[in-house]
């Protein structure tokens, strides 16, 4: 049943300076009967580290043009674990910069070693947002890294170009199961230089749905190992909200039996 919203009074000057407080006041006014508790987490100053010394100058320039001259500590920690060739899971709050945790090492490897990456998102909308972000970085410094979506809406005549020319292929688990793995021979060129598999919103699942996802990831690892050169290392980067910490730990363990999840913001393990 839809509850009519109560009329709101004009926001005060103090509320205008505190958008979070203004939103909380609106929610109280409209849904007071349905709110059972309230917790205010005070803001904290960010913790930063300088850009990595080994960062490609072209990538550093693109970030600078977009107003980024330093990293959060968890972004720097993720960079270090990936550069050490370790599987990595990033578990931080919403809107904390998780995307740069994997975009930075992936773009670095694409620029310097022609490495490729497979990004898996739970929805097509999130995948489109990621491609837009990558395109913005590309345009900022003419990086030349090619990022394409590969989903059910990708035209048939464009799929070959995605397979053969894409440095970063952005897809979803369903398309991995139905559109990539059954045609793995057509993806041999992509798998040969595949270096990273990024799983966004990493969770553990049960039942037929969960077993299908698990088998798809296992087959991805198998075909990447079969097609790749012996010195090519496939790195798993998992990303998820802090609220899903325990859930992501189980998912990471299922994807990589060598994975260990100690408490912390950026967890790491060696293969």
């Amino acid at each position: 049943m839809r509850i009519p919203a109560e009329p709101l009074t004009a926001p005060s000057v103090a509320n205008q300076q505190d958008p979070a407080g203004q939103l909380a006041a609106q929610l109280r006014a409209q849904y007071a009967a349905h709110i059972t508790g309230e917790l205010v987490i005070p803001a904290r100053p960010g913790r930063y580290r300088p850009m990595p010394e080994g960062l490609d100058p072209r990538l550093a320039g693109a970030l600078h043009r977009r107003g980024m001259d330093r990293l959060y500590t968890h972004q720097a920690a993720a960079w270090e674990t990936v550069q050490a060739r370790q599987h990595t899971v990033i578990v931080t709050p919403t809107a904390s910069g998780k995307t740069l945790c994997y975009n930075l090492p992936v773009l670095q490897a694409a620029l310097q070693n022609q490495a490729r990456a497979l990004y898996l998102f739970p929805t097509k909308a999130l995948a489109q947002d990621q491609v837009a972000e990558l395109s913005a970085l590309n345009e900022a410094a003419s990086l030349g890294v090619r990022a394409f979506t590969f989903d059910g809406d990708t035209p048939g005549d464009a799929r070959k170009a995605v397979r053969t020319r894409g440095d970063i292929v952005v897809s979803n688990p369903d398309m991995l199961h139905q559109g990539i793995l059954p045609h793995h021979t057509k993806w041999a060129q992509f798998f040969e230089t595949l270096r990273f598999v990024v799983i966004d919103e990493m969770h553990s699942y049960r039942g037929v749905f969960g077993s299908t996802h698990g088998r798809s990831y296992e087959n991805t690892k198998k075909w990447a190992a079969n097609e790749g050169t012996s010195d090519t290392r496939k790195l798993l980067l998992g990303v998820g909200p802090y609220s899903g910490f325990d859930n992501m730990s189980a998912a990471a363990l299922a994807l990589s039996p060598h994975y260990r999840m100690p408490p912390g913001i950026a967890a790491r393990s060696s293969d």
Side-chain angles (χ1 to χ4, degrees), residues 102-103 106-107 110 114-124 126-128 130-132 134 138 145-152 154 158-177 179-181 186-200 217 220 237:
Y102 55 82
N103 273 347
V106 166
L107 290 170
Q114 291 77 52
R116 289 176 168 174
L118 174 64
Y119 286 12
L120 298 174
F121 290 84
T123 67
K124 290 192 289 186
L126 288 173
Q128 294 289 351
Q130 184 58 235
V131 171
L134 290 167
N138 260 318
V145 177
R146 296 160 297 193
F148 303 124
T149 55
F150 187 79
D151 55 35
T154 305
R159 297 191 177 195
K160 181 177 180 181
V162 173
R163 293 193 302 265
T164 58
R165 298 178 53 215
D167 298 308
I168 301 174
V169 174
V170 184
S171 190
N172 56 71
D174 291 332
M175 199 63 183
L176 174 67
H177 174 62
I180 296 179
L181 295 176
K186 295 181 179 180
W187 287 81
Q189 182 177 337
F190 178 80
F191 281 131
E192 283 176 4
T193 51
L194 178 64
R195 173 79 181 278
F196 301 96
V197 177
V198 176
I199 301 176
D200 189 78
Y217 295 140
T220 300
L237 285 81

Side-chain angles (χ1 to χ4, degrees), residues 187-269:
W187 287 81
Q189 182 177 337
F190 178 80
F191 281 131
E192 283 176 4
T193 51
L194 178 64
R195 173 79 181 278
F196 301 96
V197 177
V198 176
I199 301 176
D200 189 78
E201 293 296 336
M202 187 175 175
H203 299 287
S204 58
Y205 299 105
R206 296 187 299 176
V208 174
F209 181 76
S211 62
T212 300
H213 274 240
R215 179 54 58 190
S216 294
Y217 295 140
E218 287 293 332
N219 287 338
T220 300
K221 290 193 293 184
K222 180 181 73 173
W223 291 116
N226 288 345
E227 301 294 346
T229 57
S230 59
D231 60 347
T232 299
R233 173 73 184 282
K234 297 354 178 238
L235 295 180
L236 165 70
L237 285 81
V239 184
Y242 193 78
S243 59
F245 187 90
D246 293 335
N247 206 1
M248 287 183 63
S249 176
L253 183 61
L255 288 167
S256 175
H258 303 286
Y259 189 84
R260 298 185 303 275
M261 175 74 99
I265 292 178
R268 64 197 74 180
S269 75

